[in-house]
């Protein structure tokens, strides 16, 4: 889910966007959002925006966790493509949705 928050008052040409999802990803991994603009890492997992999680290490392996990150993005009539990724110590697992999210 992506929710646009009210425009930043410091810079009128940007807006704060919240990227969020629920996931059963292992507690030892981190979720992040990466996409086709500099603010989302230009598709580079090394520059992806790491998401915070609500339960973290306190959750049971059988329950999902809620993840989110707020990112300042340029206000633009064009959509931005993005994906959620799972970061592990041994690599990256890309979201398998068939295409990119908009």
């Amino acid at each position: 889910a992506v929710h646009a928050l009210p425009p930043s008052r410091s810079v009128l040409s940007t807006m704060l966007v919240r990227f969020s999802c629920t996931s059963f990803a292992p507690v030892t991994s981190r979720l992040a959002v990466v996409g086709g603009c500099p603010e989302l890492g230009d598709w580079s997992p090394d520059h992806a925006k790491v998401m915070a999680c609500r339960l973290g290490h306190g959750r049971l392996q059988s329950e999902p966790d809620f993840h989110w990150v707020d990112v300042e993005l340029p206000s633009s009539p064009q959509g931005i493509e993005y994906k959620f990724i799972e970061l592990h110590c041994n690599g990256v697992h890309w979201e398998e949705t068939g295409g990119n999210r908009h």
Side-chain angles (χ1 to χ4, degrees):
V2 176
H3 304 284
L5 303 177
S8 169
R9 293 174 190 221
S10 60
V11 181
L12 294 177
S13 62
T14 64
M15 64 180 165
L16 189 62
V17 176
R18 173 163 287 175
F19 294 88
S20 62
C21 66
T22 26
S23 172
F24 284 94
V27 175
T28 56
S29 66
R30 296 175 299 149
L31 294 187
V33 64
V34 66
C37 65
E39 295 81 3
L40 295 177
D42 281 326
W43 297 112
S44 170
D46 292 335
H47 296 101
K49 297 296 182 181
V50 176
M51 303 172 86
C53 57
R54 187 169 129 323
L55 299 174
H57 291 287
R59 77 174 172 94
L60 300 175
Q61 196 169 7
S62 62
E63 65 184 331
D65 203 350
F66 178 74
H67 302 264
W68 76 94
V69 66
D70 295 334
V71 181
E72 192 96 17
L73 294 175
S75 296
S76 167
Q78 299 176 347
I80 294 175
E81 293 188 351
Y82 68 95
K83 281 190 179 272
F84 294 112
I85 58 175
E86 194 176 321
L87 304 170
H88 300 276
C89 60
N90 59 352
V92 176
H93 179 254
W94 288 79
E95 176 183 33
E96 298 174 11
T97 60
N100 299 330
R101 294 177 183 258
H102 298 272

